[in-house]
Amino acid sequence: MRRRVRHTFSAGGIVLRDAMFGPDIVLVRRFAPAAGGSQSFLHGLWALPKGTPIAEEAPAETARREVEEETGLVVEVDRFAGSIQYQFTRDGVLFRKTVNFYLMHAVGGDFTRHDSEYDAVEWVPVDRALEQMTYSSEASLLRHILALPAPHTGKPDRASGRAAPPAQGAERAG
């Protein structure tokens, strides 16, 4: 008997901001039960916000909507950041999933407006986030994004992860 395989897709966001001691990133959290049944502050899931498209929604639209629902922030998409792939089995079906991520920045909103899918939403310093993120594939993508040279300058824009503006007088591709 052959196992059924289902290919699925999601999209999400890497929301960054400049902070005094380096960039911060938005992570969503789901607490895990600790010994004695209390909610553990340090354990549980730490992840990037993401979700499934609705109808004919474009991937960047899905990413923006899901980030806004799951975090309470109002965001703008800056650019495509990359994709991750993983697989899991549920009810005898092998799911092969691709998740497209987009770099974003917040333009409004606040965490008190996040939906109930997660217990908390936080701005986390990137260095700490890389240690705490549950999914290594998401952390690897973040490391890759922060190390990429910014377009037009050839230098990494580590502070925000966003493309640095072209230097004054630099030529623009027509």
Short mmCIF file of all heavy atoms in Angstrom, two decimals, residues 6 57 76 84 90 110 132 136 163 167:
data_model
loop_
_atom_site.label_atom_id
_atom_site.label_comp_id
_atom_site.label_asym_id
_atom_site.label_seq_id
_atom_site.Cartn_x
_atom_site.Cartn_y
_atom_site.Cartn_z
N ARG A 6 0.61 14.64 0.23
CA ARG A 6 -0.12 15.89 -0.02
C ARG A 6 0.86 17.05 0.04
O ARG A 6 1.58 17.20 1.02
CB ARG A 6 -1.22 16.07 1.01
CG ARG A 6 -2.08 17.26 0.72
CD ARG A 6 -3.32 17.27 1.58
NE ARG A 6 -3.96 18.56 1.44
CZ ARG A 6 -4.71 19.11 2.34
NH1 ARG A 6 -4.94 18.47 3.48
NH2 ARG A 6 -5.24 20.28 2.15
N GLU A 57 -5.63 33.99 -3.13
CA GLU A 57 -4.73 34.97 -2.53
C GLU A 57 -3.29 34.74 -2.99
O GLU A 57 -2.81 33.62 -3.00
CB GLU A 57 -4.84 34.81 -1.01
CG GLU A 57 -4.26 35.90 -0.18
CD GLU A 57 -4.61 35.68 1.29
OE1 GLU A 57 -4.41 34.56 1.81
OE2 GLU A 57 -5.06 36.63 1.91
N GLU A 76 3.90 46.19 6.26
CA GLU A 76 4.09 46.31 4.82
C GLU A 76 5.16 45.32 4.41
O GLU A 76 6.14 45.11 5.13
CB GLU A 76 4.52 47.74 4.45
CG GLU A 76 3.40 48.74 4.62
CD GLU A 76 3.79 50.15 4.19
OE1 GLU A 76 4.97 50.37 3.80
OE2 GLU A 76 2.92 51.02 4.26
N ILE A 84 11.26 27.78 2.85
CA ILE A 84 11.72 26.59 3.56
C ILE A 84 10.79 25.45 3.17
O ILE A 84 9.65 25.68 2.75
CB ILE A 84 11.74 26.77 5.10
CG1 ILE A 84 10.34 27.05 5.64
CG2 ILE A 84 12.72 27.87 5.50
CD1 ILE A 84 10.25 27.03 7.16
N ARG A 90 0.56 12.98 9.20
CA ARG A 90 -0.62 13.12 10.04
C ARG A 90 -1.71 12.21 9.46
O ARG A 90 -2.01 12.27 8.27
CB ARG A 90 -1.10 14.57 10.08
CG ARG A 90 -2.30 14.78 11.02
CD ARG A 90 -2.84 16.19 11.01
NE ARG A 90 -1.83 17.16 11.40
CZ ARG A 90 -1.76 18.39 10.92
NH1 ARG A 90 -2.62 18.81 10.03
NH2 ARG A 90 -0.81 19.20 11.33
N ASP A 110 -0.70 46.88 17.28
CA ASP A 110 0.01 46.50 18.50
C ASP A 110 -0.34 45.06 18.85
O ASP A 110 -1.32 44.51 18.39
CB ASP A 110 -0.30 47.45 19.67
CG ASP A 110 -1.74 47.41 20.08
OD1 ASP A 110 -2.13 46.46 20.79
OD2 ASP A 110 -2.49 48.33 19.72
N GLN A 132 16.40 30.85 20.39
CA GLN A 132 15.13 30.39 20.93
C GLN A 132 14.17 29.80 19.91
O GLN A 132 13.26 29.07 20.29
CB GLN A 132 14.42 31.55 21.66
CG GLN A 132 15.11 31.96 22.92
CD GLN A 132 14.43 33.14 23.56
OE1 GLN A 132 14.60 34.25 23.13
NE2 GLN A 132 13.63 32.87 24.58
N SER A 136 14.55 24.98 13.27
CA SER A 136 15.89 25.31 12.78
C SER A 136 15.85 25.86 11.35
O SER A 136 16.68 26.69 10.98
CB SER A 136 16.82 24.10 12.87
OG SER A 136 16.33 23.05 12.06
N ALA A 163 16.74 46.06 2.31
CA ALA A 163 17.70 46.59 1.36
C ALA A 163 18.05 48.02 1.74
O ALA A 163 17.18 48.82 2.05
CB ALA A 163 17.10 46.56 -0.04
N ALA A 167 23.31 54.45 -2.78
CA ALA A 167 24.11 55.60 -2.39
C ALA A 167 23.75 56.79 -3.28
O ALA A 167 23.37 56.63 -4.44
CB ALA A 167 25.58 55.26 -2.52
#
